[in-house]
Amino acid sequence: MQKKITLLLLLAFSCQLFAQTVTIKARPSDAAPHISKHIYGHFAEHLGRCIYDGFYVGEDSKLPNTVGVRNDIIEALRALKIPNLRWPGGCFADTYHWKDGIGPKENRPTIVNQWWGGSTEDNSFGTHDFLNLCELLDTEPYLSANVGSGTVRETEEWLQYTTHDGISPMADLRRSNGREQPWRVRYWGVGNEAWGCGGNMTAEYYANLYRQFATYMRDWNLQDDTPVFRIASGASGDDYQWTETLMKNIKPDLVEALALHHYAVTDWSDKGPSVSFDETQYFGTMREALKMEEFVVKHAAIMDRYDPEKKIALFVDEWGGWYDTEPAYEAGVLYQQNTMRDAMIAGTTLNTFNNHADRVKMANLAQTVNVLQAVILTDAEKMLLTPTYHVMKMYAVHQDATLIPLSFDSPKYTLGDEQLPAISASASRDSSGKVHFSLVNIDARKSHTIKIEAAALQLSKLSGEILSSAAIQDYNDFDTPGKISTEIFRGASLRQGTISLEIPPFSVIVLKGE
C-alpha cells in the first residue's frame, strides 16, 4: 500500500514538473481594430417562451411590468448593457407580416407559429411593443424583414413606418397608432437563413432577390443621418460557397453586412441533454463551438478577396449551444438549462469575435429568454440569471474598446485520442486606458498556469473576477438562483510587467489592469 501511495505521489509530482506554462505575449498595435459593442448583441424570436411568458406578460399581469414587459428582465438586460436586440426571428421572421402586429390589440389577427410548436399567437407583441422595449433598454433594434413569404413593398413600408418623420402613408399610420416620432432603426436583416427555413433558395437566386429588396430599402430620415444598414442572409457554418456567391453577385453599394450562423451541435438528430451530459458529450460540444474560429477566418478570407478594405461587415447573428429540450418543458419549445458548459461556449466564442473585430462587427447570442443558450430563465414570478449571463456581463468591458493582439500556444485539452486547445484569450484597452484580459480554460480536469508578458502595457495595478463551479454540469435553478455567479479573483500577481496566475478547470477569468 505504501509503495502505491509513493508511486501516486511521484506521478503527481512528475505531472506538475512537466506541466506546460502558457506564455501570452500582449503587444499593443496602432493598427489594432476597434471592438464593436454590437458583438455583444442578443436575439429574441417568437419561439417557445421567449416573447410570450418570457419578455411579455401583458399589461394586466400581476407581475411588475412596463407596458407588458417584465420589469425584472428590463433591469437585468440594462445591467448587461446589451447593445442591440434582433427580432422577430429567426425562422419566424419569414412568416411574420408586420401589419398584423400594429393597431388596437383586440383587433389584431392571430397567427399560427408554424415553425415552433404550432402554437397560436395573438400578435399582442408587435412593432410598437418591440421598439418601445428597445428604448427602455437603451439598445438598438435589429429588425428581420420577411423575404421568404413577404414582398418588397411590405419591407419598404415597414422601414417607412418605423423611421420616416415626414408626411407619408406609413408615417401617418404610425401616428394614428399612437407614435408621433419615428424610432431609430438602423439594422435591417433582408431575410433569414434563405438557404433553409427562409425559402430553401439557392445562393444565386437569393442574391438576385436580395438585390431587389435592398434597392428599395431607402433611408427614411434617420435622426443621426446614419444610413440604413442592410444585412444579407449569410451562410451556415462551413458553406463557403454561399459567401462566395453573395460577394460575387451583390454590388458593394447594396450591402453593409453578411450574416453567419453557427450552433455548437454535435448531432442534429440527437443533440444530447442540457444538464446530464458526460465529459465525452462536453468535449464534443466544445469541439463544435471552437469551429467558430475556423468559420470566421475562412468566411472573412473570402470577403477580403472582394472587399479588401473591409467595408462589408460579418454579422454572426445566431450563435450558441443547442441541446434537446428539457422533458419537463416540452411545451416551452427549445427550453434548456444553462450550465458551466455554456459559460465555456460563451467565453471562447466572444474571444474569437474580439480577436477578429476587424471583420466581425455584430453577433447575436441565441436567445435572450427561455430559449437555447438564454441569459435569463423565468418560471411564473421567478427569474434567474444563467452562467452565460455572467460571462456576457464580465466581457462587457470589451465593448467599444481597442483590441490588444495576443500571441500564445495553448496547452491541449485531451480526451482519448482527441485534443482541443484548452486556453482561449482576448484583450483590449478601453477609452479610459484600462486594460482587460478575458481568459477561458475549457479543460474539464486540469488547471493551467498562465504568464502574460504585459510590460508594453505599463500596468501598475491588477484586479479580477472569476466564474467557476464544482462541476461542469452545475447550473442555477429557481431554488438556488445564485449557485453560480462571479467572485473576486485574487490569484493573479503583477511583477515587472508580467502577470502570473493559475486558471482552474472550466472557468472564466477577466482581469483589469491599470
Side-chain angles (χ1 to χ4, degrees):
M1 184 59 146
Q2 185 61 40
K3 287 183 178 179
K4 185 176 181 180
I5 293 173
T6 302
L7 183 60
L8 289 172
L9 289 172
L10 286 171
L11 182 61
F13 176 75
S14 175
C15 288
Q16 280 189 326
L17 187 64
F18 293 102
Q20 182 178 347
T21 296
V22 187
T23 300
I24 299 176
K25 296 180 180 180
R27 299 288 187 267
S29 167
D30 292 339
H34 169 88
I35 299 173
S36 171
K37 66 180 181 180
H38 289 293
I39 282 172
Y40 292 84
H42 293 260
F43 176 31
E45 183 170 1
H46 285 246
L47 195 172
R49 293 172 53 241
C50 183
I51 302 297
Y52 299 107
D53 197 33
F55 273 101
Y56 189 74
V57 292
E59 295 177 49
D60 59 351
S61 173
K62 294 180 180 179
L63 297 177
N65 69 85
T66 300
V67 291
V69 177
R70 291 179 63 135
N71 287 344
D72 51 3
I73 289 180
I74 293 172
E75 182 181 354
L77 294 180
R78 278 177 176 166
L80 203 54
K81 299 179 181 178
I82 70 169
N84 66 73
L85 186 60
R86 180 174 179 242
W87 176 86
C91 292
F92 183 83
D94 284 290
T95 59
Y96 183 68
H97 300 281
W98 67 271
K99 288 183 181 178
D100 292 343
I102 61 173
K105 294 183 188 287
E106 63 273 15
N107 296 338
R108 297 179 188 179
T110 59
I111 181 175
V112 175
N113 193 331
Q114 67 184 67
W115 289 109
W116 306 115
S119 60
T120 299
E121 300 183 7
D122 63 5
N123 271 310
S124 56
F125 189 90
T127 296
H128 287 248
D129 307 274
F130 173 69
L131 295 178
N132 291 341
L133 166 63
C134 288
E135 288 186 336
L136 284 171
L137 295 175
D138 192 25
T139 194
E140 289 207 55
Y142 171 2
L143 291 178
S144 293
N146 182 346
V147 171
S149 67
T151 65
V152 173
R153 179 176 180 175
E154 183 177 18
T155 296
E156 187 275 331
E157 287 185 338
W158 200 13
L159 201 157
Q160 183 187 137
Y161 183 91
T162 55
T163 65
H164 188 42
D165 196 22
I167 297 172
S168 75
M170 291 300 104
D172 292 344
L173 179 59
R174 181 192 70 239
R175 294 185 185 101
S176 73
N177 287 326
R179 175 77 185 198
E180 177 63 30
Q181 297 299 318
W183 295 275
R184 183 175 183 272
V185 187
R186 282 200 301 163
Y187 297 106
W188 290 82
V190 185
N192 169 78
E193 296 189 355
W195 39 263
C197 64
N200 280 304
M201 304 174 192
T202 63
E204 291 80 7
Y205 180 83
Y206 172 72
N208 287 332
L209 194 58
Y210 172 89
R211 292 188 303 189
Q212 181 185 7
F213 270 74
T215 298
Y216 295 95
M217 296 175 71
R218 306 297 297 275
D219 301 335
W220 284 99
N221 192 30
L222 290 173
Q223 288 89 326
D224 61 357
D225 296 324
T226 304
V228 169
F229 210 98
R230 297 158 297 187
I231 301 107
S233 172
S236 174
D238 62 355
D239 187 354
Y240 304 115
Q241 185 58 42
W242 186 276
T243 296
E244 182 91 39
T245 301
L246 265 53
M247 292 299 295
K248 184 187 301 182
N249 290 286
I250 299 175
K251 294 191 298 182
D253 62 348
L254 285 176
V255 62
E256 282 70 50
L258 263 59
L260 171 65
H261 292 179
H262 173 57
Y263 289 94
V265 177
T266 55
D267 182 347
W268 283 97
S269 63
D270 182 13
K271 303 180 191 71
S274 64
V275 172
S276 57
F277 55 89
D278 58 24
E279 188 178 356
T280 299
Q281 290 170 310
Y282 165 65
F283 190 96
T285 298
M286 294 312 303
R287 181 179 59 236
E288 294 303 311
L290 293 176
K291 287 181 180 178
M292 185 66 81
E293 172 76 20
E294 173 189 339
F295 296 157
V296 167
V297 167
K298 290 185 177 180
H299 284 289
I302 294 168
M303 297 175 74
D304 286 347
R305 292 204 299 272
Y306 295 90
D307 175 35
E309 296 181 359
K310 302 184 189 297
K311 293 181 178 180
I312 300 171
L314 181 62
F315 281 13
V316 189
D317 58 13
E318 288 188 32
W319 66 272
W322 190 330
Y323 322 112
D324 291 333
T325 299
E326 287 291 306
Y329 289 90
E330 284 294 343
V333 186
L334 303 194
Y335 180 96
Q336 60 191 42
Q337 250 301 347
N338 196 287
T339 67
M340 285 299 297
R341 170 174 63 174
D342 297 288
M344 298 298 98
I345 295 173
T348 56
T349 302
L350 292 171
N351 282 339
T352 292
F353 296 156
N354 287 346
N355 290 327
H356 295 285
D358 59 334
R359 183 66 80 173
V360 179
K361 300 299 182 181
M362 182 185 285
N364 302 81
L365 175 68
Q367 291 190 11
T368 315
V369 183
N370 292 331
V371 171
L372 299 180
Q373 194 173 337
V375 293
I376 293 170
L377 300 178
T378 67
D379 183 10
E381 77 284 356
K382 298 177 181 178
M383 187 203 79
L384 64 80
L385 308 177
T386 67
T388 298
Y389 177 97
H390 293 300
V391 173
M392 296 288 282
K393 190 172 183 182
M394 293 168 76
Y395 275 52
V397 294
H398 293 301
Q399 292 187 18
D400 284 336
T402 300
L403 181 72
I404 297 174
L406 303 177
S407 59
F408 65 99
D409 293 320
S410 174
K412 301 301 182 184
Y413 168 31
T414 302
L415 187 68
D417 58 359
E418 290 192 86
Q419 291 185 326
L420 296 172
I423 301 299
S424 167
S426 66
S428 67
R429 189 190 294 272
D430 67 21
S431 58
S432 69
K434 295 182 179 66
V435 171
H436 294 94
F437 299 91
S438 49
L439 307 165
V440 184
N441 177 15
I442 70 167
D443 200 310
R445 287 170 274 124
K446 286 184 184 178
S447 297
H448 290 284
T449 300
I450 293 178
K451 292 188 181 297
I452 305 174
E453 296 180 359
L457 302 176
Q458 299 181 334
L459 306 176
S460 60
K461 189 166 62 173
L462 197 64
S463 59
E465 59 182 338
I466 184 171
L467 189 75
S468 62
S469 195
I472 193 69
Q473 296 85 1
D474 284 350
Y475 57 91
N476 292 331
D477 61 24
F478 295 106
D479 294 325
T480 55
K483 180 176 181 178
I484 300 173
S485 62
T486 56
E487 297 178 349
I488 296 173
F489 180 69
R490 295 187 173 89
S493 64
L494 173 62
R495 293 186 180 90
Q496 297 180 334
T498 297
I499 299 170
S500 302
L501 69 144
E502 184 173 299
I503 184 168
F506 53 91
S507 65
V508 180
I509 293 174
V510 172
L511 301 176
K512 179 174 70 174
E514 301 178 68

